[in-house]
Amino acid sequence: MAVVEACGISKRFGGIVALDDVSIVVEQGEAVGLVGPNGAGKTALFDCLNGVRHCDSGEVRFEGRLINRLPVYERARLGIGRTFQRLELFAGMSPREHLMVAERVHRADGRLWKDLIGRGRARATVARVEELLVELGLEEVADDPIETLSQGHGRLVELGRALVQDPLLLLLDEPASGLDTRETAAFATILLEVRARRTTAMLLVEHDLDLVRRVVERIYVLDFGKLIASGRVDEVLAEPVVRRAYLGDVT
Amino acid sequence: MTQFLSYAIPGLPYGCVFALMAVGLVLTYQTSGVFNLAYGAQAYASALIFYVCVNAGWPSWAAFLVAVVVVAPLLGLAMDRFLYRFIRSAPVLVKLVSALGMLIAIPSALQLIFGNQQRLAPPSLWLPPSSVYFHVAGDAINGTELSTVVVTLAVVLLASLMSHFTQIGLRMRAMAESPRMVQLAGINSELVGIAIWVLSSFLAGLAGVLLAPLFADLQALNFTDLLVAAIAAAALGSLTSLPLAFWGGIGLGVVQELLGGYLPSGSVLSSGLRPALPFAVLIVLLLTLPGLRERWFHDDPLAGCDPPPPPMATTIGGHGLEGFLRAGSWTVLAVFFVSCLTWVPGNWTFTLTQGLAYSIVFLSIVLLTGMSGQISLCQASFAGIGAFTCAQLATHFGVSVLVGIVAGGAVAALVGVVVALPALRLGGLALALATLAFGLLADNVGFQFAWSGNGDTGVSIPRPQIGSLNFTSGKAFFVLAFVALVVCSVVVLAIRKGTTGRELAAMRGSELAAASIGTNLVKLKITVFAVAAALAGVGGALYGSLQGTVSPDDFNSLLSLVFMVVVVTTGVYTVEGAIQAGMAYVILYQVLDYLPSQWRNLFPILFGLGAITYALHPEGVVEWQRRRVIELVVDRRKHREAVG
Ligand SMILES: Nc1ncnc2c1ncn2[C@@H]1O[C@H](COP(=O)(O)OP(=O)(O)OP(=O)(O)O)[C@@H](O)[C@H]1O
Ligand SMILES: [Mg+2]
């Protein structure tokens, strides 16, 4: 069964049509790419999928259930995890604390009365969090304040924060932007390992096509809010219409 | 129709003053990105200087020249050059707190210089207030009203002529429309920016001088109300449009008087709703104009995101030092407690008990602002709700005062939920203004009824008594307040350590990310507003019971601003910060009491200026100094190790 199925999504900002009748499907455990030039509407589509914005028309189904009207946090609890194009980190917290708070929200541990009688205290370590920190190679910086870390570490913290909740679908918005070649290669390796170990489906927005090739099987191409191609990575990237959208010429 | 006109026309002078201020606010907000809350203080400064000069026998044109043409622009320019210029891209909380600091410090600084006696019958700028010039629709138009309208029209005409036909005017207009474009066009935008500050400060001064004679005496609080009216008018123009802001101001003044005319006279509603109209309008606008909200969000990409607190002093020096410090603070606490019960004189015990009550109120600011990144400027009103609930229950329903104190917290929490509802949609600056407006509404309307604060008369709250246990004596009440503070501190600490606290910290860092990991922001904000309001309510009720009688004046909106500034100055991130703030607040006040009355103004000045340090030291003065000392110690130790 499809994890997420979006049908005929449209979204406009004033006069700009950011998404025009876009339909995509991601199957269980599948890794799918979403590419397109700047301003194509990739982030807008992510926003509609995880509820940051509501689409003007169209349907979003998650495991067959219509989730169009659900707020962000409910979609997150259903199993949609997300990272952000512009890093959205919690100022003043360490990477470990980022993962801990996500883990506790995931366990739905947030009752005020529990805190008041001292039941909601943080345990010093949580096994899942420690494992994940090691898996992502963050154990060395786990207790540093987030402001002192590099962009690359920031991206990994966002990834870990989403993964600790065991999402069924992971939306990755340009996770390699701001990283140099070495960091990008390392990120790709980590991403492949992450994939190998769990059944999380992924939708990956990325301009670095090498990274896309390494991680995904199938891609969608957006241009000016329209879906212009989809299918196996190499076949799609070879299509003239895609090359034109990307490179602006036909060769 | 005649009746309508006769009600509407007296509103015109107020409208003119609102309009002048609104235009000035929009001008500086558009061009510098700083929402200048100190604008009301600027208006007050000119009005006061004008008053002093005229009373010293100067002709009014000379007084005008000094107060409005020289001092007002200089003051605005000084604020821009020495403060606002450096915080333009700072988080919204920093900008807001700095401006608040100025709003509080400037009037007090002036009163320190010129004395704080009551100033009756402020002089009119131009025509004598007593002579009637003509009648319109049955209204006698006196000199004050006539000169206000004529001067406003003349200034607006002059300004618009200037903005169309002179070069600097054209550039200022361009800058107000799009500062970025002006920079790109290679115009010296610094210079144009300065010109705009001068113009806007001149407008503030003019508005102040024009407004003063419309009231019986010259009071700083009138100018805070004026400021909110101007903000409401500016909001009518979405904070961008000068003409809309101008007409919004005029309209607000007129509608205010119309309300006064048509509402049944003599009731609290008519006497309260009329002055409260701008605040009501502001709240409604903030909630309904989507453009306004968007703008406030997008202009402040960092809105709601605080500067991260630097590491706490205790974490720098390693565990030995941490233990030492902790032992130190326990000792201080114990000594304090025992001293108050033994040798401290009665009046000081009373003062320190006040400090305990204030500390509880300040805990609410730590919870809301320090831990959650929400800005509320109406915590004094919640304290008032707690006190008045307790008073009404105790006097009219015979409820035990202790129960009343708890009930006060509960009712405040309920109101807090209602206030949280806008908070769900607003953030940053918009939330701050909405809560400010709510506080002023409570002052002007809510607390005036006999069943709540009972206006100027106030209400009385007895000291609690349970069975044979009697808290009438100062020392017994001190113990009660102490226990209450400990309980409230434990609550806040438990929230901070628990899941809710982590979620609050996440929300402060990034609302977007917090939601995307499954945090229900709606529930979280309602919870934190309710708990904070409850804390403030309990603190207020305790304070009331200590005083015996309290009136709305003990909890007015200006105090909310002072509270915010005081807590932010001493330390807004920690529970200790709140307690230090509470103690510093009352002790400083008591010490200044020994000096001539004028020197009491030193108090808001110190804290007002202290608030400005927030930009550099968000952790607060106390923590900042403590860290300096510890760093010194640690450095020494390292040095010794290196040498030895
Ligand atoms: N809040 C907004 N208001 C108005 N227009 C917007 C808004 N957000 C996005 N847009 C517009 O919608 C279109 C799609 O934007 P989107 O951010 O989805 O592009 P993208 O594919 O993610 O691009 P990039 O690769 O640069 O991230 C763009 O034309 C953009 O200008
Ligand atoms: Mg994008």
Side-chain angles (χ1 to χ4, degrees), chain A residues 50 52 72-73 76-77 80 84 88-93 97 101-102 104-105 109-110 112 115-116 120-122 147 161 165, chain B residues 301 306 308 491 494-495 497-503 505-506 508-510 512-520 523 527 531:
Chain A
N50 99 316
V52 171
V72 184
Y73 79 94
R77 288 180 184 181
I80 300 184
F84 296 88
E88 292 283 346
L89 294 163
F90 303 141
M93 287 197 198
E97 286 174 315
V101 63
R104 288 167 78 174
V105 172
D109 196 0
L112 187 65
D115 295 337
L116 292 182
R121 289 278 174 97
E147 293 80 21
R161 186 175 65 189
Q165 302 196 310
Chain B
D306 273 308
V491 166
I495 292 178
K497 292 223 175 82
T499 309
T500 312
R502 303 321 298 162
E503 284 187 275
R508 191 184 70 197
S510 161
L512 196 56
S516 79
I517 59 169
T519 301
N520 185 348
K523 201 179 111 195
T527 310
V531 175

Side-chain angles (χ1 to χ4, degrees), chain B residues 519-610:
Chain B
T519 301
N520 185 348
L521 294 179
V522 174
K523 201 179 111 195
L524 199 59
K525 284 185 186 173
I526 289 187
T527 310
V528 72
F529 261 89
V531 175
L535 287 171
V538 167
L542 262 178
Y543 177 83
S545 177
L546 174 69
Q547 299 294 97
T549 331
V550 276
S551 72
D553 210 34
D554 289 306
F555 305 104
N556 71 36
S557 304
L558 208 56
L559 270 182
S560 291
L561 308 185
V562 174
F563 286 177
M564 182 77 179
V565 163
V566 168
V567 179
V568 157
T569 304
T570 46
V572 74
Y573 288 113
T574 56
V575 168
E576 291 125 274
I579 299 172
Q580 284 152 359
M583 290 302 154
Y585 185 81
V586 292
I587 292 175
L588 199 61
Y589 214 84
Q590 186 68 32
V591 168
L592 291 178
D593 221 26
Y594 293 125
L595 301 174
S597 78
Q598 213 161 339
W599 289 95
R600 229 173 284 169
N601 287 304
L602 214 55
F603 174 81
I605 299 176
L606 282 178
F607 279 109
L609 295 180

Side-chain angles (χ1 to χ4, degrees), chain A residues 13 16 18 37-44 53 85 174 207:
Chain A
F13 293 110
I16 300 170
N38 287 116
K42 305 179 295 291
T43 302
R53 297 179 195 286
Q85 182 171 356
E174 304 198 16
H207 286 299

